[in-house]
């Protein structure tokens, strides 16, 4: 009988971001490779899928009053799932946060999507995330990081952008995000004078920084729009971004597109001149950046966390510097489009990703 593998995650269905896309790609690869694949997650959709087990969701009001309550609640409910999880030969835990709830299982892979706590830790959840990381360091489950920044927090001496798809220490691997080149590829359509920001609307994703940089950019390069594609058009931070747009008189130039289905994202990358990833904190190797470069749409990003590992043109956190980098790309568009595209198809492709993942799984199951 085929080995059964269960991915443990807060987020999967509906597929709205990089982590969910990652889980979907991994599920497909596992199924294609002869494994029985399933996911256990918090219920965030009315969809019913045979390979997904849904656990109750914390009321949204409670999570607003006590941020990250849903993360702790998910761990609590996981502790009552030993009969279900015990039937699996291997658990893949998305983020160390959930490891304490499933550490009893004999085969666990802990996957990091990037450092997910503020530095220094500010909240109880931040401190718990650091505690979970320390527990992983002591107990040594198999660990996969999708960026070298996390590995340096783990205590490893590893340079950014090096040792991809390798075991970098006993039971520790670096496997960066990769892209499906059959789905994300150049289409040859005419491009619009648009800057795309494919980011969910929260502080760490730097939407405010993108707006400020775009204002500076327009002082030299007029007749452009900025499209912000992502969820989160509610709450205090979104209202702050709207006020910022009003203050900078960008009402006619900045559009919030809301959530774009994953299947449609390639169409957007192929329409625009440039993608901006303005992260200010908490980032792995951004899947959005890799998808854009695979469509030959060049990317400017900040030089934060896991973004250091990518072949994007890097900027600091100053709006003027980001605007200057955006201008540099547009003035040398063919060079950046071609060079970033080549780097992605040679390194950040699903073939490399699949081979590395299957090696880790086979080794862990042994």
């Amino acid at each position: 009988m085929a080995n059964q593998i269960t991915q443990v995650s807060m987020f999967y269905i509906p597929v709205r971001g990089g982590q969910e896309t990652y889980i979907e790609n991994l599920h497909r690869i596992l199924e294609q490779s002869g494994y029985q694949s399933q996911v256990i997650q918090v219920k965030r959709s009315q969809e019913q899928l045979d390979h997904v087990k849904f656990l109750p969701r914390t009321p949204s009001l409670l999570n607003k009053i006590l941020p990250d309550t849903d993360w702790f609640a998910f761990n609590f409910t996981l502790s009552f799932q030993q009969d279900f999880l015990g039937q699996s030969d291997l658990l893949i835990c998305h983020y160390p946060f959930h490891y304490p709830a499933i550490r009893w299982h004999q085969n666990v892979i802990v996957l990091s999507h990037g450092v997910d706590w503020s530095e220094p830790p500010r909240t109880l959840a931040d401190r718990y995330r650091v505690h979970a990381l320390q527990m992983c360091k002591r107990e040594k489950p198999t660990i996969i990081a999708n960026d070298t920044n996390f590995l340096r927090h783990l205590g490893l001496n590893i340079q950014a952008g090096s040792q991809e798809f390798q075991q970098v220490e006993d039971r520790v691997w670096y496997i960066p995000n990769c892209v499906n080149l059959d789905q994300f590829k150049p289409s040859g359509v005419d491009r619009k004078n648009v800057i795309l920001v494919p980011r969910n609307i929260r502080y760490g994703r730097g939407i405010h920084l993108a707006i400020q940089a775009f204002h500076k950019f327009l002082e030299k390069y007029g007749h452009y729009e900025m499209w912000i594609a992502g969820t989160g058009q509610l709450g205090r931070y979104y209202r702050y971004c709207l006020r910022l747009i009003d203050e900078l008189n960008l009402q006619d130039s900045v559009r919030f597109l809301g959530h774009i289905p994953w299947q449609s994202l390639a169409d957007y990358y192929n329409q625009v001149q440039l993608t901006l990833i303005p992260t200010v904190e908490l980032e792995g190797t951004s899947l959005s950046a890799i998808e854009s470069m695979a469509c030959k749409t060049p990317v400017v990003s900040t030089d934060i966390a896991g973004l250091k590992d990518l072949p994007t043109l890097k900027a600091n956190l100053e709006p003027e510097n980001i605007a200057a980098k955006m201008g540099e790309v547009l003035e040398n568009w063919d060079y950046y489009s071609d060079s970033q595209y080549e780097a992605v198809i040679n390194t950040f492709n699903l073939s490399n990703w699949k081979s590395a993942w299957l090696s880790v799984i086979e080794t862990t199951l042994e």
Side-chain angles (χ1 to χ4, degrees), residues 61-115:
L61 179 60
L62 178 59
N63 201 54
K64 288 181 180 178
I65 297 172
L66 298 171
D68 292 314
T69 298
D70 51 351
W71 284 78
F72 289 104
F74 183 54
N75 275 13
F76 179 74
T77 54
L78 279 175
S79 66
F80 294 94
Q81 298 296 319
Q82 290 197 20
D83 288 344
F84 173 78
L85 295 174
Q87 298 172 33
S88 294
D89 300 288
L90 173 66
L91 304 182
I92 298 174
C93 169
H94 290 262
Y95 285 112
F97 193 101
H98 307 305
Y99 174 69
I102 59 173
R103 57 195 283 258
W104 53 268
H105 197 282
Q106 63 178 349
N107 289 321
V108 177
I109 294 175
V110 176
L111 169 64
S112 163
H113 294 275
V115 170

Side-chain angles (χ1 to χ4, degrees), residues 246-310:
D246 288 340
E247 290 170 5
L248 299 176
N249 198 28
L250 297 175
Q251 300 92 330
D252 297 329
S253 303
V254 177
R255 292 172 55 193
F256 288 93
L257 304 182
H259 168 63
I260 303 297
W262 177 55
Q263 298 84 347
S264 303
L265 279 172
D267 295 335
Y268 283 84
Y269 292 126
N270 274 291
Q271 288 183 56
V272 305
Q273 297 284 350
L274 168 70
T275 294
L276 174 61
I277 306 294
T279 304
V280 298
E281 64 176 8
L282 311 181
E283 180 77 78
T285 43
S286 165
L287 189 58
S288 297
I290 300 169
E291 290 169 346
S292 177
M293 292 184 286
C295 295
K296 297 198 77 171
T297 303
V299 177
V300 171
S301 79
T302 50
D303 195 20
I304 292 293
L307 294 174
K308 294 177 182 291
D309 297 315
L310 298 183

Side-chain angles (χ1 to χ4, degrees), residues 7-14 19-20 23 39-45 52-58 63 67-78 92-95 97-98 113 116 129:
Q7 298 187 65
V8 179
S9 175
M10 282 277 292
F11 308 96
Y12 170 39
I13 300 297
Q19 179 179 325
E20 296 98 303
I23 295 172
V39 180
I40 186 169
Q41 71 158 96
V42 171
K43 187 172 181 61
R44 297 177 177 276
S45 167
V52 182
K53 180 178 177 65
F54 292 103
L55 298 184
R57 182 176 184 179
T58 305
N63 201 54
D68 292 314
T69 298
D70 51 351
W71 284 78
F72 289 104
F74 183 54
N75 275 13
F76 179 74
T77 54
L78 279 175
I92 298 174
C93 169
H94 290 262
Y95 285 112
F97 193 101
H98 307 305
H113 294 275
D116 60 337
R129 289 180 170 95

Side-chain angles (χ1 to χ4, degrees), residues 156-170:
L156 276 67
N157 182 18
I158 181 172
Q159 296 298 312
S162 67
Q163 298 180 252
E164 298 97 340
F165 312 106
Q166 296 182 37
Q167 185 171 358
V168 297
E169 192 177 79
D170 181 41

